[in-house]
Every structure is written in structure tokens, then in C-alpha cells.
Amino acid sequence: MTAFALAIGAVCVLWIAVLLAFARPLLARWREPVFRVPVLVIESDDWGAGPLAQAPALHRLVDVLSGVRDCSGRAAVMTLGVILEVPDGPRIAAGDCRDYYGIALDDPHFEAIREAMRAGIDAGVFAPQLHGQCHYWPPAVLAAAGQNEAVRRWLVDPEPASTEALPSPLQSRWVDASSLPSRPLPERDIQMAVAEEATAFHRIFGSVPGVAVATTFVWNDAVEAAWAAAGVDAIVTPGRRATCRTDDGTPGCTDAAMLTGARSTAGPLYLVRDVYFEPTLGHGPQRLIDGLRQRSRQGRVSLVETHRFNFLQAGESALTALDAGLRGALAALPSLRFAAPVEIARALRARDPAWLESRLRPRLAAWTARLDEVPRFRRVAALTGLAWPLAMIGGRA
Ligand SMILES: [Zn+2]
């Protein structure tokens, strides 16, 4: 009996030691708010100033999104990560690439795109959010054009540019990636640029940008502070923050990890977008449904990334996949709700009991479902037998 009690005591000590070793990520996931119902947001970046083919694509998206409704009757919501400017190619060419000039989304040239966006906003299916004045840092692209003929051709093209065609490092707005590794931008330049683009966003959409998402997910504290000063309330992230482009051009210098509901030191809340649904990359509707199921088990909202290139390149087949994904999601989880990120941020700030769970058992179930993502914890929990009581707590045993 004594030996048995000693063995039990030793196991308990071992489990406590494991829990203490992983205390930080475990506690963070306990503090992370738990959503009571599955929530789905389709997040689509890069729309705005650019190819005119966006206008019919946006109208078709309005048709598809309006046709799918949640249990409350709300239509599916797609955020539009908006780009407010592309290069004015002929004008830049006339100056032999010595100076940069842009053509803005509120130019008459883009009227059909603005009208399509407005149709979706009025129908309650589009939620515009700030992606950036440009999908690049103009001085960096200008400098790169002096060294790289393909970039120079892109910059002077008389047709509205597709920023997807720029070399990836140059698509990051908040660093100077004209050579690698990238260099940080002066803080004052960031402040002025954000203030200008927030003003342009207000001019076009009639409100301050409530939500911001950095191009290529490269940004830093200075950008967050400038966003906060411009009225941004929520920042969409992939769960970590890269602040540079490294020697090989990939996003790096990661200096922070975040969970949904955590607060930036500048004030805005972070949201995590980590379901990827890009039909032109071969992602089928099931991927969206599986992502939603997993986030729902974890008590998390599902922010689903799907860029505009899907709808410009693949057209109807991407729309068909999106429609099937949305309908499949509703069939899999009938209590599913569609919402815009700004509403999610509002619910988090208000700790709204209509959205957030406060009962212990569902919170424990969500917490244990989140632990598998903690590096090495799952293996250590399995080896020490700690996985068993955790499964009991989570209602999975
Ligand atoms: Zn983008």
C-alpha cells in the first residue's frame, strides 16, 4: 500500500513538474478567450487599386456570399484587405524611373472596382480592412528597379499592376527590401505613411480602418503604434510577427507570438488567421471545413485566408469551391455564425457573454484541445502519462 501510494505520489510530482515546465504556453492558452459558438470569417487580401478584372470577380463573390446564410439569417462575410494605390506606370516611365507616382483607388479609372466593393458592403457581405496604401514601399521598389529589369518593367507597365507579380520581398510594405537582408524604415516615415493611408481609407470607405493586416505579414511595433493612432482596433496576424526579410528573402526576425484576444502594447487586439484555403493551390472545400471543426473544438474563431488571385486566376472554379466550403461548414456545424473581425474584436473587448464561454467544463475542453499545438508538450504528456488526465478533463477519454 505504501509503495503504491509512493508511486502515485511520484507520478503526481512528475506531472506537476511537466506542467510547470510548460507553464507559460499552457497559461496563455487558458487565458485565451473561448468562443461559445463556431465563428467563420473569410479573409481575402489584395483587393483594390489594380487590374480591372477585379470588378466582375467581386460582383460574383457578392452573389456567392449572399446565397449562404447562417442560422441567424446572416450572409457569409468576406473581409477585403484593401490596397489603395498602384504605380502610375506611364508617369514613372516619363521620368525615367527617377521618381515614383501612384494612381489611387479613388481615381475614376477604378470606379467599377469601387462600385463592386460598395455593392458587397451594402449587401453586408464585404468588410473592408486596411492592407496598405501600396503592397510595397515605393522607395524600395524604385531602388530595386534600378538593378532589376523585371521590376523596372513592372513599375512602368501602363496597365494597373498586379502586385502578386513583384518579387516577394518587395511586397512587404513595412521594410526596405530593395536589397537583402531588409532594413527597417525610419519610424517617422512609418507614422506619416500610416496617417496618409488611414486618411485615404476614410475618404473612400467613409470610416477609419478598424482592422489592419500587414502585407506579407511583416510589420513591427512602430507600425502597430501608428495603426493605433489612426483608429485601428484589431490587427490580423498569423499568430507570430515577422519584422524583416532575411538574406534569402523569407520573412524572419520573428519577435512575438500572439493568440486571439491578446493585446498589442499599442492597444489594438490581435486576431489570429490560420486556416488556409487557396483553391488555385489545390485546397478543396474539405480543408475549410476541417479547419473550422478544429478551431471550433479549440473554442476559437476561424479566420480563413484566401487571396484575390484565386478569384482572378481560377474564376468560377474558385467560387464553386468557396460556395461548397461555406455550405459544407454549415452542414458540419449548424450553429455556425458568420461575422466580421470588427465584431469579434468588439465581443472580445466587452467580454460579451453572448459570444464568450465562462463555464468551467467547456473552457477546460477548449484548453486541452489547444495543448496539442504547444511544441514538444504533446510528446512529453504522452510519455509521462499526463495525456490521460488531460483527456479526462477535456472530455476526450
Ligand atoms: Zn497581400
Side-chain angles (χ1 to χ4, degrees):
M1 184 62 189
T2 308
F4 181 71
L6 277 173
I8 294 286
V11 167
C12 287
V13 168
L14 178 64
W15 287 350
I16 289 165
V18 171
L19 291 170
L20 287 175
F22 289 91
R24 204 170 154 171
L26 267 51
L27 271 174
R29 281 157 185 78
W30 176 250
R31 291 197 191 108
E32 181 189 350
V34 172
F35 282 79
R36 295 172 68 102
V37 291
V39 180
L40 180 66
V41 189
I42 305 295
E43 291 252 317
S44 194
D45 288 345
D46 303 342
W47 299 93
L52 300 183
Q54 291 174 94
L58 286 165
H59 279 298
R60 287 291 295 124
L61 277 164
V62 175
D63 293 341
V64 168
L65 296 164
S66 302
V68 185
R69 294 186 180 264
D70 68 16
C71 57
S72 74
R74 170 103 184 245
V77 177
M78 175 181 267
T79 64
L80 302 179
V82 176
I83 290 298
L84 299 161
E85 176 186 311
V86 283
D88 185 341
R91 208 172 159 201
I92 295 171
D96 204 20
C97 287
R98 279 187 300 273
D99 296 301
Y100 170 85
Y101 302 97
I103 176 166
L105 179 56
D106 45 358
D107 187 278
H109 196 71
F110 297 127
E111 187 177 351
I113 295 171
R114 292 196 308 277
E115 192 272 323
M117 288 179 159
R118 177 58 54 197
I121 294 167
D122 290 347
V125 298
F126 287 161
Q129 51 198 33
L130 182 64
H131 200 29
Q133 180 72 20
C134 321
H135 209 298
Y136 48 87
W137 184 247
V141 175
L142 209 53
Q147 322 286 327
N148 183 324
E149 180 55 24
V151 173
R152 203 192 75 82
R153 278 201 306 275
W154 180 87
L155 197 55
V156 300
D157 193 334
E159 289 301 311
S162 293
T163 48
E164 294 92 335
L166 263 182
S168 175
L170 289 174
Q171 293 183 35
S172 294
R173 176 155 173 76
W174 299 120
V175 288
D176 177 352
S178 54
S179 62
L180 296 172
S182 65
R183 289 167 305 285
L185 301 177
E187 218 168 295
R188 182 75 193 132
D189 289 0
I190 292 173
Q191 288 165 356
M192 283 168 53
V194 169
E196 274 174 30
E197 63 191 44
T199 302
F201 187 98
H202 191 282
R203 195 169 62 237
I204 294 168
F205 295 105
S207 62
V208 297
V211 182
V213 50
T215 66
T216 75
F217 283 135
V218 173
W219 79 105
N220 62 15
D221 274 333
V223 177
E224 291 187 8
W227 278 337
V232 167
D233 191 41
I235 300 170
V236 175
T237 79
R240 64 198 168 281
R241 186 175 71 178
T243 61
C244 77
R245 290 286 188 154
T246 60
D247 282 334
D248 64 3
T250 52
C253 314
T254 301
D255 69 347
M258 57 280 286
L259 297 168
T260 287
R263 191 189 274 249
S264 153
T265 50
L269 290 181
Y270 292 119
L271 301 176
V272 174
R273 178 204 285 179
D274 62 355
V275 180
Y276 303 98
F277 178 62
E278 311 274 23
T280 56
L281 303 182
H283 300 167
Q286 194 59 42
R287 188 181 171 104
L288 190 156
I289 299 162
D290 292 344
L292 173 69
R293 277 189 196 279
Q294 188 193 20
R295 300 304 172 286
S296 178
R297 271 196 303 275
Q298 295 171 325
R300 287 172 168 160
V301 291
S302 299
L303 269 57
V304 179
E305 181 166 289
T306 187
H307 287 83
R308 82 167 172 186
F309 66 75
N310 295 288
F311 307 101
L312 296 185
Q313 291 171 13
E316 283 301 316
S317 66
L319 288 164
T320 303
L322 176 63
D323 187 58
L326 291 169
R327 290 179 192 282
L330 277 169
L333 295 164
S335 60
L336 175 65
R337 303 295 290 266
F338 298 126
V342 73
E343 296 166 76
I344 294 168
R346 201 179 300 137
L348 285 164
R349 279 195 192 280
R351 301 176 198 274
D352 186 342
W355 289 73
L356 301 179
E357 187 60 81
S358 58
R359 294 168 300 165
L360 184 62
R361 281 188 69 164
R363 282 183 52 76
L364 280 169
W367 179 66
T368 57
R370 293 169 177 177
L371 300 186
D372 286 351
E373 72 192 12
V374 178
R376 300 196 325 277
F377 179 76
R378 183 179 175 175
R379 197 155 53 91
V380 173
L383 284 171
T384 58
L386 179 60
W388 176 72
L390 287 175
M392 295 277 288
I393 289 171
R396 290 188 286 171

PDB file of all heavy atoms in Angstrom, residues 45-46 131 135 215-216 307, ligand 1:
ATOM      1  N   ASP A  45      -7.222  39.092 -49.090  1.00  0.00           N
ATOM      2  CA  ASP A  45      -6.354  40.261 -49.217  1.00  0.00           C
ATOM      3  C   ASP A  45      -6.111  40.645 -50.675  1.00  0.00           C
ATOM      4  O   ASP A  45      -6.314  39.840 -51.585  1.00  0.00           O
ATOM      5  CB  ASP A  45      -4.989  39.960 -48.572  1.00  0.00           C
ATOM      6  CG  ASP A  45      -5.083  39.904 -47.059  1.00  0.00           C
ATOM      7  OD1 ASP A  45      -6.086  40.369 -46.502  1.00  0.00           O
ATOM      8  OD2 ASP A  45      -4.133  39.372 -46.445  1.00  0.00           O
ATOM      9  N   ASP A  46      -5.610  41.856 -50.838  1.00  0.00           N
ATOM     10  CA  ASP A  46      -5.011  42.382 -52.084  1.00  0.00           C
ATOM     11  C   ASP A  46      -6.000  43.065 -53.013  1.00  0.00           C
ATOM     12  O   ASP A  46      -5.627  43.475 -54.107  1.00  0.00           O
ATOM     13  CB  ASP A  46      -4.250  41.288 -52.870  1.00  0.00           C
ATOM     14  CG  ASP A  46      -3.163  40.626 -52.027  1.00  0.00           C
ATOM     15  OD1 ASP A  46      -2.782  41.217 -51.002  1.00  0.00           O
ATOM     16  OD2 ASP A  46      -2.715  39.523 -52.382  1.00  0.00           O
ATOM     17  N   HIS A 131      -5.051  47.027 -45.802  1.00  0.00           N
ATOM     18  CA  HIS A 131      -3.903  46.190 -46.125  1.00  0.00           C
ATOM     19  C   HIS A 131      -2.692  47.078 -46.414  1.00  0.00           C
ATOM     20  O   HIS A 131      -1.566  46.671 -46.196  1.00  0.00           O
ATOM     21  CB  HIS A 131      -4.259  45.317 -47.338  1.00  0.00           C
ATOM     22  CG  HIS A 131      -3.403  44.104 -47.505  1.00  0.00           C
ATOM     23  ND1 HIS A 131      -2.795  43.440 -46.469  1.00  0.00           N
ATOM     24  CD2 HIS A 131      -3.049  43.407 -48.634  1.00  0.00           C
ATOM     25  CE1 HIS A 131      -2.114  42.399 -46.932  1.00  0.00           C
ATOM     26  NE2 HIS A 131      -2.236  42.366 -48.240  1.00  0.00           N
ATOM     27  N   HIS A 135       1.107  47.815 -51.898  1.00  0.00           N
ATOM     28  CA  HIS A 135       1.558  46.488 -51.437  1.00  0.00           C
ATOM     29  C   HIS A 135       3.090  46.421 -51.530  1.00  0.00           C
ATOM     30  O   HIS A 135       3.668  45.379 -51.839  1.00  0.00           O
ATOM     31  CB  HIS A 135       0.927  45.395 -52.301  1.00  0.00           C
ATOM     32  CG  HIS A 135       0.738  44.090 -51.580  1.00  0.00           C
ATOM     33  ND1 HIS A 135       1.781  43.354 -51.067  1.00  0.00           N
ATOM     34  CD2 HIS A 135      -0.384  43.389 -51.270  1.00  0.00           C
ATOM     35  CE1 HIS A 135       1.302  42.264 -50.500  1.00  0.00           C
ATOM     36  NE2 HIS A 135      -0.009  42.258 -50.592  1.00  0.00           N
ATOM     37  N   THR A 215       0.930  43.734 -45.208  1.00  0.00           N
ATOM     38  CA  THR A 215       1.235  42.966 -46.417  1.00  0.00           C
ATOM     39  C   THR A 215       2.348  41.975 -46.084  1.00  0.00           C
ATOM     40  O   THR A 215       3.326  42.326 -45.422  1.00  0.00           O
ATOM     41  CB  THR A 215       1.679  43.882 -47.569  1.00  0.00           C
ATOM     42  OG1 THR A 215       2.916  44.487 -47.223  1.00  0.00           O
ATOM     43  CG2 THR A 215       0.633  44.961 -47.869  1.00  0.00           C
ATOM     44  N   THR A 216       2.175  40.750 -46.540  1.00  0.00           N
ATOM     45  CA  THR A 216       3.101  39.604 -46.317  1.00  0.00           C
ATOM     46  C   THR A 216       3.358  39.324 -44.832  1.00  0.00           C
ATOM     47  O   THR A 216       4.284  38.597 -44.503  1.00  0.00           O
ATOM     48  CB  THR A 216       4.456  39.788 -47.036  1.00  0.00           C
ATOM     49  OG1 THR A 216       5.253  40.746 -46.321  1.00  0.00           O
ATOM     50  CG2 THR A 216       4.292  40.221 -48.488  1.00  0.00           C
ATOM     51  N   HIS A 307      -6.661  34.519 -50.954  1.00  0.00           N
ATOM     52  CA  HIS A 307      -6.278  35.765 -51.637  1.00  0.00           C
ATOM     53  C   HIS A 307      -7.105  36.012 -52.901  1.00  0.00           C
ATOM     54  O   HIS A 307      -7.696  35.097 -53.457  1.00  0.00           O
ATOM     55  CB  HIS A 307      -4.795  35.714 -51.996  1.00  0.00           C
ATOM     56  CG  HIS A 307      -3.907  35.869 -50.819  1.00  0.00           C
ATOM     57  ND1 HIS A 307      -3.577  34.810 -50.007  1.00  0.00           N
ATOM     58  CD2 HIS A 307      -3.301  36.955 -50.298  1.00  0.00           C
ATOM     59  CE1 HIS A 307      -2.789  35.250 -49.036  1.00  0.00           C
ATOM     60  NE2 HIS A 307      -2.601  36.550 -49.195  1.00  0.00           N
TER      61      HIS A 307
HETATM   62 ZN    ZN B   1      -1.337  40.949 -49.591  1.00  0.00          ZN
END
